[in-house]
Amino acid sequence: MSFQLLDPEKGIYLSEAGSTNTILKGKEFPPGSWILADFQSSGRGRKGKTWSILGDEPFIFSGKFSSDSNLSSPGLFSLYVGVAVAKAILSVYPSASKKDLRIKWPNDIYLNGKKVCGILIETEKEGEVWDWILGIGANLYGTEIPDYLSDAGFITGDQNEKGRRARFLETLLPLLNDAVLAISDGEKRIEFINEKLLWKGETIAWTESGEQKIATLLGVNEEGKLLARTSVGNMVEFIDSPEDFRSLG
């Protein structure tokens, strides 16, 4: 399997966009293209949810990869992208290394229990070619969170780390390409994910067929599936997160 990677020279900068992912789906944007916007009016998350970017330095990004076939474990794409984003955060923002950085399976980044980044992967197929549209929304710098978004946070609120959006982009682009190459080459990066996995070892709960289920979160396997064990020892595999998936601490 081979991928066409992001090209640093194929970037488009927009002052405003509806959804950068939607724009990048257009056939006029070849694989390798990417968009960075200052503002997004119709940001989307998984399962039709909206995603609001906060603060004085929002990072609103979409990139288009392509592959000559589908992945045997497509769930790895979002997780490996999460690893790339986490490494970029730790590289560009020294204060983040002093915080508890966690990857929430399958697609969010948390710092000190607050969501600072969301990732949305969408695919389109034409003939034998797969397009992978990658959306990343991150709250790079800010100080005030609206009351109705109490679970959100900023990567940094340190004045000394303000104004690093361009550096974050420059750091992230090669890390994203490296992540996709790792998928293509079959390189394993699950160890990093499990080291940083949100709620690992904690009791989790979700609703299934109207009944609450409870288990202990074990980690992520090499296919990108989330593993948990019930109190009676039954193993549970998730390929997607239930709507009310949560930690009971």
Side-chain angles (χ1 to χ4, degrees):
M1 156 177 262
S2 63
F3 273 91
Q4 186 163 344
L5 305 178
L6 299 181
D7 185 340
E9 304 301 321
K10 288 185 178 179
I12 302 162
Y13 294 86
L14 300 176
S15 59
E16 183 174 343
S19 162
T20 53
N21 263 28
T22 299
I23 292 172
L24 208 54
K25 287 179 181 180
K27 298 304 178 184
E28 65 270 28
F29 299 106
S33 302
W34 50 270
I35 293 173
L36 185 67
D38 296 328
F39 174 76
Q40 182 173 247
S41 60
S42 303
R44 293 181 290 111
R46 297 172 64 249
K47 300 182 179 180
K49 295 181 179 178
T50 59
W51 170 235
S52 300
I53 307 296
L54 306 174
D56 301 320
E57 291 176 14
F59 186 80
I60 304 165
F61 175 90
S62 290
K64 179 185 282 188
F65 295 87
S66 71
S67 64
D68 54 12
S69 60
N70 194 14
L71 295 173
S72 57
S73 301
L76 289 177
F77 199 103
S78 182
L79 288 169
Y80 279 34
V81 166
V83 171
V85 173
K87 289 181 176 179
I89 290 171
L90 294 173
S91 174
V92 176
Y93 297 96
S95 64
S97 64
K98 302 174 184 177
K99 300 176 183 178
D100 184 27
L101 186 148
R102 295 290 165 181
I103 298 174
K104 182 185 178 185
W105 181 89
N107 62 349
D108 295 330
I109 306 294
Y110 279 66
L111 280 176
N112 284 357
K114 301 292 186 179
K115 182 177 176 179
V116 298
C117 176
I119 298 166
L120 176 66
I121 310 293
E122 299 180 283
T123 59
E124 293 195 330
K125 184 175 184 289
E126 184 172 332
E128 297 302 316
V129 177
W130 289 77
D131 284 341
W132 300 78
I133 312 298
L134 157 65
I136 298 172
N139 305 328
L140 298 185
Y141 171 83
T143 56
E144 296 184 8
I145 296 290
D147 292 338
Y148 66 92
L149 291 174
S150 58
D151 65 335
F154 300 106
I155 291 172
T156 187
D158 187 339
Q159 282 277 352
N160 295 322
E161 295 179 338
K162 189 176 181 180
R164 298 192 179 188
R165 190 175 79 149
R167 191 191 306 184
F168 185 72
L169 172 66
E170 182 179 305
T171 303
L172 181 62
L173 284 174
L175 286 171
L176 291 175
N177 283 339
D178 177 68
V180 171
L181 285 174
I183 295 172
S184 178
D185 296 341
E187 181 183 331
K188 303 302 181 184
R189 298 192 174 178
I190 298 301
E191 183 177 352
F192 182 94
I193 295 166
N194 280 318
E195 285 177 358
K196 299 292 186 181
L197 186 64
L198 185 71
W199 302 339
K200 185 178 179 182
E202 296 183 13
T203 301
I204 56 169
W206 70 98
T207 302
E208 186 177 303
S209 301
E211 179 182 351
Q212 178 175 271
K213 303 289 185 178
I214 296 176
T216 300
L217 186 60
L218 301 179
V220 175
N221 68 14
E222 292 188 352
E223 297 177 344
K225 297 177 182 178
L226 193 67
L227 306 179
R229 180 178 287 118
T230 68
S231 59
V232 296
N234 294 331
M235 190 70 73
V236 183
E237 284 189 359
F238 297 93
I239 59 173
D240 197 4
S241 58
E243 191 71 29
D244 62 343
F245 191 74
R246 62 199 184 277
S247 170
L248 301 180

